[in-house]
Amino acid sequence: VQLQASGGGSVQAGGSLRLSCAASGSIFSIGTMTWYRQALGKQRELVTSITSGGSTNYADSVKGRFTISRDNAKNTAYLQMNSLKPEDTGVYYCNADVQLRRYGNRYDFWGQGTQVTVSS
């Protein structure tokens, strides 16, 4: 199973970006998909998550500006980031809780990270 994160880039403060996280491989089902970010010199922090049923959770710092969604048919999660601030700068990682077989265990998989840079 591979998670491919994409969509990062450099924007001015107030701008928008849309990240994608696509899972591929032998997958039976995907549970919660989560976006984390890590700024230079800081610990990785949870940004937002979405369950297979569509329930979402957001860090206080991004509420009202970021929206997570997913397309279960495409095994893909999206992160729409609006009103970006310099403090949103960092590497964004996606994580997925994946069941490989019908009666199998669930495993955590991570994407490679995509850089988001917001300039003031």
Side-chain angles (χ1 to χ4, degrees), residues 26-45:
S26 180
I27 297 169
F28 177 74
S29 69
I30 299 178
T32 300
M33 300 185 79
T34 305
W35 286 98
Y36 293 82
R37 68 186 179 190
Q38 187 166 19
L40 196 63
K42 295 189 177 181
Q43 289 191 328
R44 191 173 297 188
E45 63 174 352

Side-chain angles (χ1 to χ4, degrees), residues 11 14 19 26 28 39 42-43 45-46 54 57-58 83 96 108 119:
V11 296
L19 306 184
S26 180
F28 177 74
K42 295 189 177 181
Q43 289 191 328
E45 63 174 352
L46 187 148
N57 178 56
Y58 295 93
S83 302
D108 257 4
S119 57

